[in-house]
Amino acid sequence: MAVLRVDPKACVASGLCAAMHPALFRLTEEGLGEPVRGKLTEADDVESAEDVAACCPGAAVAVLDSA
């Protein structure tokens, strides 16, 4: 299992996370990215979140091992 986080201070509101994986990310009213859910249990979701983290222009997305 992994924990998905978005640092709102680092987020540049590009919307890339929500565009890449809307099942994992949504945008706040301010246009900042936030996780749809904080805990990821499926390997595919973890891999998708890691893809988004690698592409995030503000380096705001983090996928943390919860073990």
Side-chain angles (χ1 to χ4, degrees):
M1 184 168 66
V3 176
L4 179 59
R5 298 235 169 98
V6 177
D7 180 351
K9 292 180 181 179
C11 181
V12 298
S14 72
L16 184 64
C17 57
M20 286 180 71
H21 291 288
L24 298 178
F25 299 91
R26 62 181 168 230
L27 299 179
T28 66
E29 289 183 16
E30 295 82 20
L32 301 175
E34 68 178 6
V36 170
R37 59 187 187 279
K39 294 184 180 180
L40 304 176
T41 56
E42 300 295 323
D44 287 347
D45 287 343
V46 173
E47 184 177 336
S48 294
E50 289 172 342
D51 288 345
V52 172
C55 295
C56 178
V61 177
V63 182
L64 308 169
D65 185 13
S66 65

